[in-house]
Amino acid sequence: MNHAFQHRVRGEPLIPCGLYGFHLNLSDVFFQTEAGAHFSIILIPRTRIQQLGALDPAGTLMDSISISNNVQLSQAMFQTWIQLVDNLLNEPASGGIDTDQWNALLLESFEPPGLDELSPLRSMTYRCGIVRDVVRWGIENNRQPISLDDLGRTIFASRSTISQSCREQVGIGPMALLKQIRLQQVQHALRHRDQRRVLACNTVQEVAHHFGFHSRNHFARDYRNLFGEAPRQTLARSAA
């Protein structure tokens, strides 16, 4: 996986061959991925996990997953999951989900040795909320100068709390996170002609200025570092 440190779930580095999202008491989740990455999410009802627990008379399964939200699978088991998801996404008209097959795969995933690879869930609700508020502020205030003081007054958090939360959850400071949000918005506009029409921007420089980037050299450097290409290359592909 390229730039693995950029791939996180709820602030924790993504575990290779990991299965996530089965904890029954979590109400929030957020992902951090490498720029330009594509991913699919399969939603399974919570009742499916509870049904699995009913198949374990000793109750050890539910006791174990009640303290975790991810399990590391074997490479072979992970490939089975990938194949099943690919079949579902690529052949949606083939009859839908085979409930028995999914139940069997879920149950097998939580049997030993997989059950021995459960990772304890860290309680990060407050700091998750801080990062969520930072991201929301960045999206809603994408044209004004980035100010940590303005951000702190808006979300009622100290500079140190904001910085610590961002570094713990996404691995970078709040200023870098806010800049990445704007660069992603720039990239979206450069890739989509309709969005540029809404913004009344036609050139790279006009889009960059719209989102608060006024130094051409700094903007081009930061854009290339994040997306691996010059902004004019992104724009050229949308015009093709």
Side-chain angles (χ1 to χ4, degrees), residues 159-176:
R159 294 169 62 99
S160 60
T161 296
I162 295 172
S163 296
Q164 186 175 2
S165 297
C166 288
R167 293 188 184 281
E168 181 179 284
Q169 301 297 301
V170 296
I172 57 177
M175 301 298 283

Side-chain angles (χ1 to χ4, degrees), residues 167-229:
R167 293 188 184 281
E168 181 179 284
Q169 301 297 301
V170 296
I172 57 177
M175 301 298 283
L177 176 59
L178 291 170
K179 180 184 287 187
Q180 284 192 8
I181 291 170
R182 294 196 182 191
L183 287 170
Q184 289 166 354
Q185 291 174 315
V186 169
Q187 187 203 42
H188 179 76
L190 294 179
R191 292 177 60 187
H192 297 90
R193 186 178 305 172
D194 289 345
Q195 181 63 20
R196 294 196 300 276
R197 187 177 298 115
V198 170
L199 300 178
C201 298
N202 297 309
T203 68
V204 169
Q205 203 60 28
E206 287 174 346
V207 173
H209 275 284
H210 178 87
F211 290 105
F213 294 99
H214 301 294
S215 171
R216 178 178 299 183
N217 291 336
H218 288 169
F219 162 72
R221 178 201 61 198
D222 292 338
Y223 189 97
R224 182 182 291 275
N225 287 340
L226 186 59
F227 300 113
E229 66 178 11

Side-chain angles (χ1 to χ4, degrees), residues 71-88:
V71 60
Q72 187 170 14
L73 306 176
S74 67
Q75 184 68 38
M77 178 65 70
F78 191 68
Q79 288 301 320
T80 302
W81 273 100
I82 291 176
Q83 187 61 56
L84 197 61
V85 172
D86 283 346
N87 291 343
L88 180 64

